[in-house]
Amino acid sequence: MNNLPTIDISAFLKEDIGAGDLTALIISSSQEASATVVTREGMICCGQAWFDAVFEQLDANVKITWHCAEGDWVDAGAVLCELQGLARPLLTGERTALNLLQTLAATATQAHFYAQAVLGTGCKVLDTRKTIPGLRDAQKYAVVCGGCHNHRVGLYDGILIKENHIMAAGSIALAVERAKVIGSILLEVEVESMDELAQALEAKPTRIMLDNFSLDALRTAVELVNGRVELEASGNITLDNIRSVAETGVDYISIGALTKSVQAVDLSMRIDLEEE
Amino acid sequence: MNNLPTIDISAFLKEDIGAGDLTALIISSSQEASATVVTREGMICCGQAWFDAVFEQLDANVKITWHCAEGDWVDAGAVLCELQGLARPLLTGERTALNLLQTLAATATQAHFYAQAVLGTGCKVLDTRKTIPGLRDAQKYAVVCGGCHNHRVGLYDGILIKENHIMAAGSIALAVERAKVIGSILLEVEVESMDELAQALEAKPTRIMLDNFSLDALRTAVELVNGRVELEASGNITLDNIRSVAETGVDYISIGALTKSVQAVDLSMRIDLEEE
Amino acid sequence: MNNLPTIDISAFLKEDIGAGDLTALIISSSQEASATVVTREGMICCGQAWFDAVFEQLDANVKITWHCAEGDWVDAGAVLCELQGLARPLLTGERTALNLLQTLAATATQAHFYAQAVLGTGCKVLDTRKTIPGLRDAQKYAVVCGGCHNHRVGLYDGILIKENHIMAAGSIALAVERAKVIGSILLEVEVESMDELAQALEAKPTRIMLDNFSLDALRTAVELVNGRVELEASGNITLDNIRSVAETGVDYISIGALTKSVQAVDLSMRIDLEEE
Amino acid sequence: MNNLPTIDISAFLKEDIGAGDLTALIISSSQEASATVVTREGMICCGQAWFDAVFEQLDANVKITWHCAEGDWVDAGAVLCELQGLARPLLTGERTALNLLQTLAATATQAHFYAQAVLGTGCKVLDTRKTIPGLRDAQKYAVVCGGCHNHRVGLYDGILIKENHIMAAGSIALAVERAKVIGSILLEVEVESMDELAQALEAKPTRIMLDNFSLDALRTAVELVNGRVELEASGNITLDNIRSVAETGVDYISIGALTKSVQAVDLSMRIDLEEE
Amino acid sequence: MNNLPTIDISAFLKEDIGAGDLTALIISSSQEASATVVTREGMICCGQAWFDAVFEQLDANVKITWHCAEGDWVDAGAVLCELQGLARPLLTGERTALNLLQTLAATATQAHFYAQAVLGTGCKVLDTRKTIPGLRDAQKYAVVCGGCHNHRVGLYDGILIKENHIMAAGSIALAVERAKVIGSILLEVEVESMDELAQALEAKPTRIMLDNFSLDALRTAVELVNGRVELEASGNITLDNIRSVAETGVDYISIGALTKSVQAVDLSMRIDLEEE
Amino acid sequence: MNNLPTIDISAFLKEDIGAGDLTALIISSSQEASATVVTREGMICCGQAWFDAVFEQLDANVKITWHCAEGDWVDAGAVLCELQGLARPLLTGERTALNLLQTLAATATQAHFYAQAVLGTGCKVLDTRKTIPGLRDAQKYAVVCGGCHNHRVGLYDGILIKENHIMAAGSIALAVERAKVIGSILLEVEVESMDELAQALEAKPTRIMLDNFSLDALRTAVELVNGRVELEASGNITLDNIRSVAETGVDYISIGALTKSVQAVDLSMRIDLEEE
C-alpha cells in the first residue's frame, strides 16, 4: 500500500538537527553500523516513505530493508526494518525518523481498530478536519492506510451545511438551494432532529449528517431515508459503541478522535556498531 | 505568560482553506456574527497568539477578547474568548483556530499535571525530542506554558551521550573527554547501572541521565552523587509514579509522553449570527 | 462573492521586486498619487483580495476603493478600482497586482461564458486538473467566482477510474469494487462506449464520465441511465457546442480549457501624481 | 539547449497529490508500465528538466527517454518521450508533468513563432514583466528556449523610465539624469511622440522605447536616431504585423502576449501496463 | 531613500526565537519600556524597513521613530532611532533587528566609501555576484543605498563572457556572436590583454571588462576604445587605489569586496524600563 | 569532521540562477570539463557538504574529489578539490558553491585562530547570537568546525539574564529565582562589577558572564568564585588580548566578531574544457 503522498522532510530534519548533531562528533566519521527498528506494540505500519526520506536526505548510502509492507499489521515485538550504513547518519536521523513513524502509525493503527470494529456492516468510517496542524495530508493518508476513509480534505472540496449556514439562509431548503448553485463533489447537510432530517431529505443533498442521534433515532432515520441519500452518523461515537452505530445501517460514521489526538506507537531503534 | 514564539500560520490555513471555503458562500458577505469558544474540559490555555493570528490573517477586523491569560488554568465549561466580526471569516477560521488551540492546550495541560505532581519536591519535569513532526517549537513552548521545562531543543544545542557513543569511544571517560573538546551548554551522559554512574561521575559531565533506575537505585544514586552533578531520571515514568521518583531527590525527570502524544482538549466554538 | 482563499503574495512580489524598484528612486519618497484601474474588455472581476494584498504588503497606507464586487461582470472601459497613496508603492506594485488580476479574471471570465452558455439547462460546468502549475487553488477559486464548479481538486479528494485502472483491475466491475474499498467523496468511472457505460452503471459509482460521446450517444446514455447515477460529458467540448451537450440532459460537463490556458484580460492602471 | 534554470517541483506535486493518489491504489504496487507522451500540435519542446524532476521525485527508478532536445521544434503527432517504470508513479505524476510541459511549451512555441516572423531582419523580440504569477523565471526561460530574448527580469535589474517618472522628475532630461545617478545595466526611456524621442535622445539612455508609434513614425525614428541608441518598439504588435515593425529597423520589439497569456499545447500521455 | 525591496523577516526571527524567549519571562508582560539605538561608528543607515518589520511582526504596537533617513550618513555616537512599547518584544526583537541593521549598514557603508573615493570622476562602482549566501537581494539593495551600483544580479540577467566561454566558442568573435543570438540586457566580455581587447572591440559587445590591467594599460585601453563601448575595470582594486583606476577614464569598476565580506557596524540598543 | 547540519541549497541557487544561466548557452551542452578549487589563503576547510549539494542539485553526475577533510587546516595555494563533469553545470554552479565555501570557511578559520590563541589554557571560546541573518545554523556549525564552541543558539535554549531583566525583577537574586522557575539547560547572569558578581554567586546560576572586566578584575573574580560556578568573559576581547584573558582562569570567552563579520576566504575555481 503506497499511493505516493507528497513528502517534504526538510523542515522536520531542520527542527531536530539545526547546526548539526554535536554528539555524533564523538563517533568516527567512518564508523559503520547496523540498526533494527522494533515496535513494542501491535500497529499498522505507516510512513515508510517518510522514514526512508529522512535517511536518504542525510546520507544516500544508508540501506533500509523493510520486513513489512506499508499498511500491514505488525505484532508487538516485531522488527519493522533493518538499516545499514555509517553510524553518524543512523544516529542523527534516528529521532526524526521514529517521530514520523510513531505519529503516522498511531493514526493508521487507530483507523485500523475503527475499521475492524465495523467490519462486515458495510458502513465506512470517515475522518474529519480535526487534525494536528501541519499534518492534514499525512494524517489523511494514514487514515486510508489503516482502512478508514477520507471525508472532505478541507473547506474547499466539499460543502457541509451546518446550523449557522441554515440560519443564515433561512431554512434547510434555501441553504441547499444556494449550495447547489455553488456546487461541489460533496453536498452534505448536518441535521439535529427528525424534523430537520425530513427537511433535508426534501432538499436532496448528496449526504445527510445525523449529529448526536440516538441508536433508535439512527434506525428510524435509516428506515425513513431508505437509500434515497447517504447517511453519516457523527458525535459521541467511540470504539466501544461504533459497531452498534454501524449496525443501524448508516453509510458512514465520522470520528474526530481518529486525527485530533495522537497516541504515538512505542518504537525503538537499536543500533549496533560494526567492529572495525 | 507570553514569550513570543515564532508563528507561521499560513501553512495551517492553506491546508484547510485551499481554493476557498465553498460553504461560506451560502452566507451573505456582510452578515455579522459573534462567537464564543468554550472548553468542555479543564485545561491550561495555550496558543492564544496562534488563535489570534488565524483570524488576523483572514480578516484584520475580527475582534477577539480573551477571558483568560495564556498559561492560566481554565475550568470545564468556561468561556475562553469571545469573537466579533463578519460571519464568513469566523466560520472559515473556526476549525484551524480550534485545531491549534486544542493541540497546544493538550500539551500544556499535560505539562501542568506533571508539574503539579512534583510540586514542592524541587524536581523539574523536562520534555524530550519525541515530538510531533513540525511542531517541535510549538510543543516546547506549550511545555513551558504548562509549568514544565525544556530539555535540549534538538541535536545541536546539547550533548547527550548514549550507549552507542560510549561504545564508539571505548568508555564513558573517553566519550566525555571527546565531548568536552566539542563543548556545548549541556553535557549529559546516559547510564544504565550504578557501575556506569560511578564512571560517569568520575568524568564530570554537566548532568547524568539515570535510565530505567528503580526507586531504590535512584535514591542510592542521589546519595552517592551528593550534589556534585545534576541527575535526571528517565524511562517508564508516568503521572502515577512521578512523585515517588521526584521524591528520590533527582533534579530532573524527563517524560517523552509530554510531547509525543496529543490528547486534544475538547473545545467548541458557538457562532451567533446578528439580526440584520 | 468572497470565500477567503488562502493567499501568499510574497513570492509574487519577490519575483518582480527583488532587490528593489530602481526606477522608483527617480520619484520623491513623499510624492503622493492616485490611480485608477480600467479594463479594456468585459470581464468578471476576480482577485480583489490578491490585488489588495500586494499593496497592503508594500505600504499599509495605500487606500483602495473597489467599484465592483468580486464576481461581478464589468463592461469594457469601466473603472474597477481607485487607489490613493504614495507614488512609489503604487508604481512598484502595479505590475504584480495587475498580473494577478488579469490572470484570475481571465479564468473567471471564461468560466462565466461557459456558465452562461448552459444557463437554464440544469447542467453544471466543471473544471479539471489541467491547471497552470502553482495556481491550482487560485484557478479553482476563479472558476467558482465565474459561475462554474469545481471537480475534484487533486488526486487525493476523489477517485476517477480511467482506462488504465480498469485494465489493471481486469474489468470496470472489479475496479469499482476496489475503489469502494478505498472510498472517497467522489467515485467516478470514465467510459468510452455504450457497452462500458452499461458495465459502469451496474457497478454503481457516484458518477460516470462519458468521454468523447457524440450528441446522439449522450442522449441515449441519459435515457438509459435515467437518473440512477450522475453523468458527466467530457472531450472536445467548446463554447460553440456546449449548449447542445448540456441539452442532452447530462448533469456535468468538464472543460480542460477553463484552466489550462489563460487569455489575460487587458487591464491598465493610470497613475496621477498629486501637485505638491 | 539547457541552461539549468532553478526548479522546485515540490509545490507543484503537492497541489495535485496532497494526501496521496487514491485511484492509484486500484493498481498493484508492483505493476510495471511503459508510456509515451505525444503532442497533438507542432510545438517547441520546453520543460524537459521539470518533467523529469516530477518523476524523479515520485520514484527515482522511472526511466525517461527523450526523442527530441530541449528547444527543438516537434511536429504534431510526434512522440516526445518514452517512460518506463512502475505504473503507480507514472499515473500519479502524469498530470503534473504534462501541466508543466504544456505550459512551458506554450510560451516557447509562441516565442518561436514571433522569432520566425522577424527572421533575417536583425530585430530581436523581447518579453515583458506581464507574466503568470509565480512563473516569471520559468516563462523567461521558455522565451529564450523559443528563440526570443529577455527584457529586464524585474524592477530590480533595469531602469525603465515611463510617463510618471518623467512627470515626477519634471522632464525626460531630469529623469534620465537621476537614473544615471542610480545606475543599472539597462537605462531605458519610454516615449510617446517624436518630440519626446528628441528629448530622450539628447539625454543619452541605453535604449528608447517607442510606445504605440505608427510604422511611419518608427521609420522616421530609426532614421533620426541613426544607431546612436537602441530602439525598442512596443504596443499593439501581433504576429500579423510584427514583421513590418521589425523591417522599420528598430533593434527590439517587446510583446506582452508572449508571457501574459498561455495557450497550453495539447499533449497526451498513453500508458500501457505490462503483462504480468 | 526607500525603493521597497522584498523583505521576509520570518526566517530571521525563527532562527533566534524558536520556541520563545525564555529570559523574557522574567519580565512582566505589561512592563513598558523605551529604547534607543546608537551607532558606535560612522555609517550609512541601511535596513530600516527590515528593522521595523522585526518589531511589527512581534508586536504591532511598538512605535519606532527614526532620526535619520534610509541612505543617510550618520556619525559615530548618533542615535539612529527610538522605540517605545512593551519591554518583552523590545528585548526579544533586539538581536534580530540589530543583526539585520549592522549587516546591511556594513555593506552600504563600504559602498559609500567606494563611491566617495571616485567622486567627480564620472566612474561608477559596481558590485559583483560574490555575495553572502541568502542575502543577494538585500546586499544589492544596500550597495545602491550606499551610492554604488548593481552589476547583473545573477546569471540570468546579463551575459558575461569569460575565458572558458571564449575557449569553448573558439574565439572572442565567435563567443560574442553566439551571445548575440541569445541576447540579454547586458553583453559583456572579459579580456586579459590588449590583444583580447582589440578582438572584443571588433565584436561589439555592450561592455568590456578589463581584468587585472595595470593603470597604464587601462589608460591605453580607454584611449583605444574612445567611447565606442563601455569599459569596466576589475581585479585587485581596493579603497587605496580605486581613485587612480577611476581616473584612467573607465566607466565602471567592479569590487567583489563590497559584498563578499561583511564588517558589521557596531550598534547598541539601550533599553529603559518605565517606572510602573 | 561532519556532523550533518541541515542544508537547503535551493534558495541559494535560485538567487543566482533564476531563469537560467544565459552565458552557459555559449558552451555546447555535451562539453566535458574538469576543475580545481584553490585557496589563496591558509584556511580551515568548512562547507564541503554545501559545496557538494550545489553541484548535486544542478547535475548529479558531477564528480567531486576532496583533497582535505572538513575541518582541516589547508595552506595557501593548496588544491581543495577537483571536479569532473559537464562544463555547463560546473560554470553555472561555480559562484554559488564558492560563495558558500568562502563564507563558511571564513568563520571556521576565524574560529581556528581564536581556538589556537587559547590552546592549553583550558578556556573555551564561544560564539554569540550576533550572526549574519539567515546563517545562524551554518555559522554555529562553522564555529565548531574551526575548534571553538557554541553558546546558546537562540533565545529559546538558554537563559541569559542581563541588566534589564535584573532591573525588572528588582535584583539579581529575584531574577535568578524567577529564571529557575522557568528552567533551561543554561542559566547565566551577566554582571558588570565585583558587587554584582557577589550577588550572582549567591543566586547560584549555571554560569556568570563577566562583562568588560579588566584582566585584574577577571583574576580576582576567578579566585573569588573558586570553581563554584562557570565564568565567561566578554566584551572588547580580540585575537590580540584573548590569551591574557584566557590565562586569568575563566572557563569561557565569548566573541561576537566570530560570526557578526565575515572576511571571505579568497578562493578560485579553475575550469579546463576537455578536448572534444
Side-chain angles (χ1 to χ4, degrees), chain B residues 117-136:
Chain B
V118 303
L119 208 68
T121 64
C123 177
K124 285 190 162 63
V125 182
L126 301 177
D127 54 26
T128 69
R129 289 168 43 247
K130 296 180 180 171
T131 53
I132 303 290
L135 296 184
R136 176 76 50 95

Side-chain angles (χ1 to χ4, degrees), chain B residues 195-251:
Chain B
D195 183 49
E196 286 184 4
L197 171 60
Q199 294 173 50
L201 202 53
E202 194 87 2
K204 301 213 171 92
T206 320
R207 194 187 294 173
I208 296 174
M209 181 188 290
L210 308 166
D211 188 40
N212 274 316
F213 274 47
S214 68
L215 289 178
D216 277 350
L218 288 174
R219 276 183 219 106
T220 310
V222 168
E223 207 167 320
L224 172 73
V225 169
N226 193 22
R228 282 175 292 169
V229 65
E230 296 178 336
L231 289 177
E232 172 184 339
S234 83
N236 290 321
I237 304 172
T238 64
L239 266 181
D240 289 337
N241 63 7
I242 192 170
R243 186 156 190 99
S244 312
V245 175
E247 287 172 344
T248 63
V250 294
D251 304 284

Side-chain angles (χ1 to χ4, degrees), chain A residues 11-133:
Chain A
F12 302 144
L13 281 169
K14 191 172 176 57
E15 69 181 10
D16 197 36
I17 302 180
D21 179 354
L22 292 175
T23 319
L25 291 171
I26 290 175
I27 297 175
S28 155
S29 64
S30 63
Q31 172 72 55
E32 299 275 342
S34 60
T36 50
V37 177
V38 175
T39 178
R40 300 203 181 96
E41 308 173 65
M43 60 171 261
I44 293 293
C45 189
C46 180
Q48 294 186 355
W50 278 271
F51 185 96
D52 291 351
V54 165
F55 293 103
E56 166 75 20
Q57 192 150 323
L58 289 178
D59 179 347
N61 295 316
V62 171
K63 297 274 174 298
I64 304 176
T65 313
W66 287 92
H67 294 206
C68 58
E70 183 82 346
D72 278 2
W73 174 263
V74 187
D75 287 326
V79 170
L80 299 180
C81 64
E82 292 178 273
L83 301 94
Q84 185 73 33
L86 290 170
R88 282 191 184 178
L90 291 188
L91 281 159
T92 301
E94 174 187 6
R95 181 51 35 220
T96 301
L98 291 184
N99 283 354
L100 284 160
L101 208 56
Q102 75 195 15
T103 302
L104 288 172
T107 299
T109 304
Q110 280 301 304
H112 172 76
F113 292 142
Y114 277 96
Q116 287 303 105
V118 302
L119 208 68
T121 64
C123 177
K124 285 188 162 66
V125 181
L126 301 177
D127 55 25
T128 67
R129 290 166 43 245
K130 294 179 181 173
T131 54
I132 303 290

Side-chain angles (χ1 to χ4, degrees), chain A:
Chain A
M1 140 108 225
N2 184 340
N3 57 331
L4 294 167
T6 50
I7 300 173
D8 183 3
I9 230 65
S10 61
F12 302 144
L13 281 169
K14 191 172 176 57
E15 69 181 10
D16 197 36
I17 302 180
D21 179 354
L22 292 175
T23 319
L25 291 171
I26 290 175
I27 297 175
S28 155
S29 64
S30 63
Q31 172 72 55
E32 299 275 342
S34 60
T36 50
V37 177
V38 175
T39 178
R40 300 203 181 96
E41 308 173 65
M43 60 171 261
I44 293 293
C45 189
C46 180
Q48 294 186 355
W50 278 271
F51 185 96
D52 291 351
V54 165
F55 293 103
E56 166 75 20
Q57 192 150 323
L58 289 178
D59 179 347
N61 295 316
V62 171
K63 297 274 174 298
I64 304 176
T65 313
W66 287 92
H67 294 206
C68 58
E70 183 82 346
D72 278 2
W73 174 263
V74 187
D75 287 326
V79 170
L80 299 180
C81 64
E82 292 178 273
L83 301 94
Q84 185 73 33
L86 290 170
R88 282 191 184 178
L90 291 188
L91 281 159
T92 301
E94 174 187 6
R95 181 51 35 220
T96 301
L98 291 184
N99 283 354
L100 284 160
L101 208 56
Q102 75 195 15
T103 302
L104 288 172
T107 299
T109 304
Q110 280 301 304
H112 172 76
F113 292 142
Y114 277 96
Q116 287 303 105
V118 302
L119 208 68
T121 64
C123 177
K124 285 188 162 66
V125 181
L126 301 177
D127 55 25
T128 67
R129 290 166 43 245
K130 294 179 181 173
T131 54
I132 303 290
L135 296 182
R136 176 75 51 94
D137 279 2
Q139 289 188 299
K140 291 266 171 183
Y141 167 82
V143 160
V144 172
C145 204
C148 289
H149 306 274
N150 295 333
H151 208 299
R152 60 175 178 169
V153 177
L155 293 165
Y156 56 88
D157 69 337
I159 292 177
L160 176 43
I161 298 172
K162 299 190 181 183
E163 191 187 6
N164 284 299
H165 305 100
I166 295 168
M167 278 172 51
S171 71
I172 288 178
L174 289 166
V176 174
E177 194 181 308
R178 287 194 201 170
K180 287 188 174 168
V181 174
I182 299 161
S184 176
I185 53 179
L186 175 76
L187 197 171
E188 183 167 11
V189 183
E190 183 183 275
V191 301
E192 294 174 9
S193 67
M194 278 302 162
D195 183 50
E196 286 185 5
L197 170 58
Q199 293 172 48
L201 201 54
E202 194 86 2
K204 301 209 169 97
T206 320
R207 196 186 293 173
I208 296 173
M209 181 188 288
L210 307 166
D211 189 39
N212 276 314
F213 274 46
S214 68
L215 289 177
D216 277 351
L218 288 173
R219 276 182 219 109
T220 310
V222 168
E223 205 168 321
L224 172 74
V225 168
N226 193 24
R228 280 175 291 170
V229 65
E230 296 178 337
L231 289 179
E232 172 182 340
S234 85
N236 291 319
I237 304 170
T238 65
L239 265 181
D240 290 337
N241 62 10
I242 191 170
R243 186 157 190 98
S244 311
V245 175
E247 288 172 342
T248 63
V250 293
D251 303 284
Y252 300 100
I253 298 170
S254 53
I255 303 286
L258 267 185
T259 50
K260 78 178 194 179
S261 294
V262 168
Q263 279 306 114
V265 173
D266 192 2
L267 304 174
S268 70
M269 189 188 293
R270 184 195 157 88
I271 301 179
D272 291 302
L273 305 179
E274 316 263 301
E275 304 274 334
E276 297 229 289

Side-chain angles (χ1 to χ4, degrees), chain D residues 6-81:
Chain D
T6 49
I7 299 173
D8 183 2
I9 231 65
S10 60
F12 303 144
L13 282 170
K14 192 172 175 58
E15 68 181 10
D16 197 36
I17 301 180
D21 179 354
L22 292 176
T23 318
L25 292 171
I26 291 174
I27 297 175
S28 157
S29 64
S30 63
Q31 172 72 54
E32 298 276 344
S34 60
T36 50
V37 176
V38 175
T39 179
R40 298 202 181 98
E41 307 174 62
M43 59 171 262
I44 293 292
C45 189
C46 179
Q48 293 186 356
W50 279 270
F51 185 97
D52 291 352
V54 165
F55 292 103
E56 167 74 21
Q57 190 149 325
L58 290 179
D59 179 349
N61 294 315
V62 171
K63 297 274 175 302
I64 304 177
T65 314
W66 287 91
H67 294 206
C68 58
E70 183 82 344
D72 279 2
W73 173 263
V74 187
D75 288 326
V79 170
L80 299 180
C81 65

